[in-house]
Amino acid sequence: MALPTSVKLFEMAPRDGLQNEPGNSVPTATKIALVERLANAGITHIEAASFVSPKWVPQMGDAAEVMAGIKRQPGVVYSALTPNLKGLENALTVGVEEVAVFGAASEAFSQKNINCSIAESLTRFEPVLDRARDVGVRVRGYVSCVLGCPYEGEIAPHKVAEVAKALYEMGCYEVSLGDTIGVGTPLSAKRMIEAVQQQVPIEFLAAHFHDTYGMALANLYAVMEEGVSVIDTATAGLGGCPYAKGASGNVATEDVLYLLEGLGIETGIDLQAVIDTGYWITSELGRKPSAKVALAKGPSR
Amino acid sequence: MALPTSVKLFEMAPRDGLQNEPGNSVPTATKIALVERLANAGITHIEAASFVSPKWVPQMGDAAEVMAGIKRQPGVVYSALTPNLKGLENALTVGVEEVAVFGAASEAFSQKNINCSIAESLTRFEPVLDRARDVGVRVRGYVSCVLGCPYEGEIAPHKVAEVAKALYEMGCYEVSLGDTIGVGTPLSAKRMIEAVQQQVPIEFLAAHFHDTYGMALANLYAVMEEGVSVIDTATAGLGGCPYAKGASGNVATEDVLYLLEGLGIETGIDLQAVIDTGYWITSELGRKPSAKVALAKGPSR
């Protein structure tokens, strides 16, 4: 049960964060500046955009402009969500080097969120994975609702393991396990990881936890004890819906960094630079960071 | 590293929570109602008042009226903070059955907070302990700044252990270890507990963590792995100063209950009743609970 000596953070704010802002209100230049500031802070993996239909997610309608506009730094991966082949082709035109597909461990959530069964979604990902392999683009797989579903309630760990295994065997280099509604606790998180790692080696698993019930850091600590060493976070805790009751986004990058520093776990990321970036982007959005560490430490002067 | 099967929560909202409200704004009847609602929710240990000079803490000036006004339930302990013999005598006049003394692991904090050195504070507690023993009143001991001090920075675990040992040997039946400024992480929390339990048996230790940096639940999980089974919490996360930058109170009872339920740890407390109490008291104070679980679940209709 030794903790990992280093952890890779995968930054979600530009995509999973900003896609939840109301309307299509964030200027393209702001999105690009956010990605560049995060990279300057030392973050090496950033999900920068989503190539989905602007009919469904107008917030990401400028994905190609964002990806094309980023001044890329060596050693930083800028990835994009590509739910289907069309999204992938669009992403390839702007030189994306890594993409992601998005599945669920809950049948009901899969139907409501992506309008198909889990099995159908996996079939739909196959041509994306094939094409990505052909052009040398890495693919990350997401599984949502791994610790609970808003429609089905509890999700059995073996169900998560099945979907994770399918994505891994299909060619995903990493599978990110999402507690989409933030209902998990350390025990359910550990049990889920124990089931999944029987199908996918633990070094290829990432924890993607939302902090809706305040459990994210405790759950991350528990799964790091199991050996998980990749964590998805969003600067300023962006994501969720800022106007809905109790909704809350990804666990905040600032809070996870503070936790990791306290545990002596290396990330190579400058916490104060992330705090400053969080204050900047939330001031652009007209609010404060929802990262307790950011509020406690404050921006630098 | 097995977690405890049951945990005792010690509720802080009426004292550590309300003493931080500005001015002397909370009516005595509201304080009494808060204590009674918490007991109705199944909480068995409630710090209900503080017998300090109203010159220093005007918020607690009605301590005697509060203690006398509570309709007491069998099986519930209503305790009060009594920093000196005068406070204890006042508390005894209204039939208190348990009191508490408040020390620090940091010399600088002791000087600033209670105007004396750690050694002097311990000397000052002796007559309180003696008198309490004579009249059959139990005494709880607090140690503040166990994971960091706003003036000194890091606090050595052996310093915490020394103060905890002194309080325990003086006759405190339980020693509550306070991360007053919420800076600890699971590693520093575990190291501190490991040092203290060499001096005081773990069953007599309580964790009193503030959530200023969002670490409280992760830290509680870590110290429960070490065997700690008493946790101080405040309904709605009351405490700290609601108007100061980043200040934040005790870890919220609601959040800790949700964590414990998820871990299969028994408390005998009705989470929804606590959530409702939190919404009620914060509406009296003109704000919302700062408990994520309360925000996510909402009050019952």
Side-chain angles (χ1 to χ4, degrees):
Chain A
M1 307 253 283
L3 294 168
T5 53
S6 73
V7 158
K8 179 179 96 179
L9 293 198
F10 211 117
E11 174 65 39
M12 296 285 136
R15 199 276 304 169
D16 203 3
L18 294 185
Q19 80 177 13
N20 283 293
E21 292 303 311
N24 185 3
S25 51
V26 184
T28 305
T30 304
K31 294 176 182 172
I32 292 170
L34 174 60
V35 172
E36 291 178 348
R37 282 175 191 236
L38 293 168
N40 287 339
I43 298 177
T44 55
H45 291 72
I46 305 171
E47 197 163 90
S50 179
F51 287 84
V52 289
S53 166
K55 240 191 343 193
W56 298 112
V57 188
Q59 293 89 335
M60 294 284 119
D62 55 356
E65 290 82 352
V66 171
M67 287 304 298
I70 297 164
K71 197 172 291 165
R72 301 195 195 176
Q73 289 190 22
V76 179
V77 175
Y78 306 87
S79 72
L81 202 64
T82 57
N84 50 39
L85 200 50
K86 185 169 173 226
L88 175 60
E89 295 299 348
N90 289 339
L92 290 176
T93 62
V94 288
V96 79
E97 56 195 312
E98 179 175 319
V99 297
V101 295
F102 194 89
S106 150
E107 284 293 348
F109 191 84
S110 185
Q111 288 290 353
K112 297 239 186 191
N113 196 46
I114 53 178
N115 295 306
C116 62
S117 70
I118 295 172
E120 285 164 347
S121 75
L122 295 173
T123 308
R124 203 181 284 179
F125 298 152
E126 271 170 20
V128 179
L129 271 289
D130 289 345
R131 174 78 170 123
R133 191 180 302 109
D134 288 347
V135 293
V137 160
R138 299 211 299 179
V139 183
R140 193 174 204 235
Y142 287 99
V143 186
S144 63
C145 296
V146 301
L147 298 175
C149 165
Y151 313 112
E152 291 184 18
E154 282 189 31
I155 297 293
H158 74 85
K159 191 77 199 165
V160 183
E162 274 169 32
V163 181
K165 182 187 183 200
L167 289 170
Y168 180 65
E169 291 186 341
M170 201 179 275
C172 290
Y173 83 95
E174 190 166 274
V175 179
S176 171
L177 302 162
D179 182 10
T180 311
I181 55 173
V183 292
T185 57
L187 186 62
S188 61
K190 278 179 118 138
R191 284 188 179 148
M192 183 273 295
I193 291 293
E194 282 161 9
V196 176
Q197 71 169 315
Q198 288 175 25
Q199 304 297 338
V200 182
I202 192 122
E203 61 266 34
F204 302 123
L205 297 177
H208 178 111
F209 293 165
H210 286 241
D211 203 30
T212 320
Y213 288 71
M215 301 295 133
L217 293 178
N219 296 349
L220 288 173
Y221 179 70
V223 301
M224 283 193 288
E225 286 187 325
E226 297 288 310
V228 170
S229 64
V230 184
I231 300 175
D232 296 358
T233 64
T235 291
L238 288 182
C241 174
Y243 305 103
K245 183 196 82 166
S248 133
N250 287 101
V251 65
T253 308
E254 298 92 320
D255 294 348
V256 174
L257 280 173
Y258 185 91
L259 172 69
L260 295 176
E261 285 186 8
L263 297 175
I265 296 173
E266 285 185 25
T267 63
I269 299 166
D270 178 345
L271 171 56
Q272 189 61 53
V274 175
I275 290 173
D276 291 345
T277 302
Y279 272 97
W280 166 76
I281 186 64
T282 50
S283 80
E284 295 287 315
L285 301 172
R287 53 185 202 269
K288 292 259 178 236
S290 54
K292 288 207 169 187
V293 167
L295 298 174
K297 284 187 175 276
S300 54
R301 297 283 148 213
Chain B
M1 306 255 283
L3 294 168
T5 53
S6 73
V7 158
K8 179 178 97 179
L9 293 198
F10 211 116
E11 174 64 40
M12 295 286 136
R15 199 275 305 168
D16 203 2
L18 295 185
Q19 81 176 12
N20 283 293
E21 293 302 311
N24 185 4
S25 52
V26 183
T28 305
T30 304
K31 294 176 182 172
I32 292 170
L34 175 60
V35 173
E36 292 178 348
R37 284 175 190 236
L38 293 169
N40 287 340
I43 297 177
T44 55
H45 290 73
I46 304 172
E47 198 162 272
S50 179
F51 287 84
V52 289
S53 166
K55 238 190 348 191
W56 298 112
V57 188
Q59 293 91 334
M60 295 283 120
D62 56 358
E65 291 82 353
V66 170
M67 286 304 298
I70 297 164
K71 199 172 291 165
R72 299 196 197 178
Q73 290 190 23
V76 179
V77 175
Y78 305 88
S79 72
L81 203 63
T82 57
N84 49 39
L85 200 51
K86 185 169 174 226
L88 174 60
E89 295 299 349
N90 289 338
L92 290 175
T93 64
V94 288
V96 79
E97 56 195 313
E98 179 175 321
V99 298
V101 296
F102 193 91
S106 149
E107 283 295 349
F109 191 85
S110 184
Q111 287 290 355
K112 296 238 185 192
N113 196 45
I114 54 179
N115 295 305
C116 63
S117 71
I118 295 172
E120 285 164 347
S121 75
L122 295 172
T123 308
R124 203 180 285 179
F125 298 151
E126 271 171 20
V128 179
L129 271 290
D130 289 344
R131 173 78 171 124
R133 190 182 301 110
D134 289 346
V135 294
V137 161
R138 300 210 299 180
V139 182
R140 193 174 205 236
Y142 288 99
V143 187
S144 62
C145 297
V146 300
L147 298 175
C149 166
Y151 314 113
E152 289 184 19
E154 283 188 30
I155 298 293
H158 75 84
K159 191 77 199 167
V160 183
E162 273 170 32
V163 181
K165 182 187 184 202
L167 290 170
Y168 179 66
E169 292 186 342
M170 202 178 275
C172 290
Y173 83 95
E174 189 167 275
V175 179
S176 171
L177 303 162
D179 182 12
T180 311
I181 54 172
V183 294
T185 57
L187 186 62
S188 61
K190 279 179 118 138
R191 282 186 180 151
M192 182 273 294
I193 292 293
E194 282 161 10
V196 176
Q197 72 169 315
Q198 288 175 26
Q199 305 297 337
V200 182
I202 192 124
E203 60 268 34
F204 302 123
L205 298 177
H208 178 112
F209 293 166
H210 286 241
D211 203 30
T212 319
Y213 288 72
M215 300 295 131
L217 293 178
N219 296 350
L220 287 173
Y221 179 71
V223 301
M224 284 194 288
E225 286 187 324
E226 298 286 310
V228 170
S229 65
V230 184
I231 300 175
D232 296 358
T233 65
T235 291
L238 287 182
C241 175
Y243 305 105
K245 184 196 83 166
S248 133
N250 287 102
V251 65
T253 309
E254 297 92 318
D255 294 348
V256 174
L257 280 173
Y258 185 91
L259 172 70
L260 296 175
E261 286 187 6
L263 297 175
I265 297 173
E266 285 183 25
T267 63
I269 300 166
D270 178 344
L271 170 56
Q272 189 62 52
V274 176
I275 290 173
D276 291 345
T277 301
Y279 272 97
W280 166 77
I281 186 63
T282 50
S283 79
E284 294 287 315
L285 301 171
R287 52 184 201 268
K288 293 257 178 241
S290 54
K292 288 208 169 188
V293 167
L295 298 174
K297 284 188 175 276
S300 54
R301 298 282 149 214

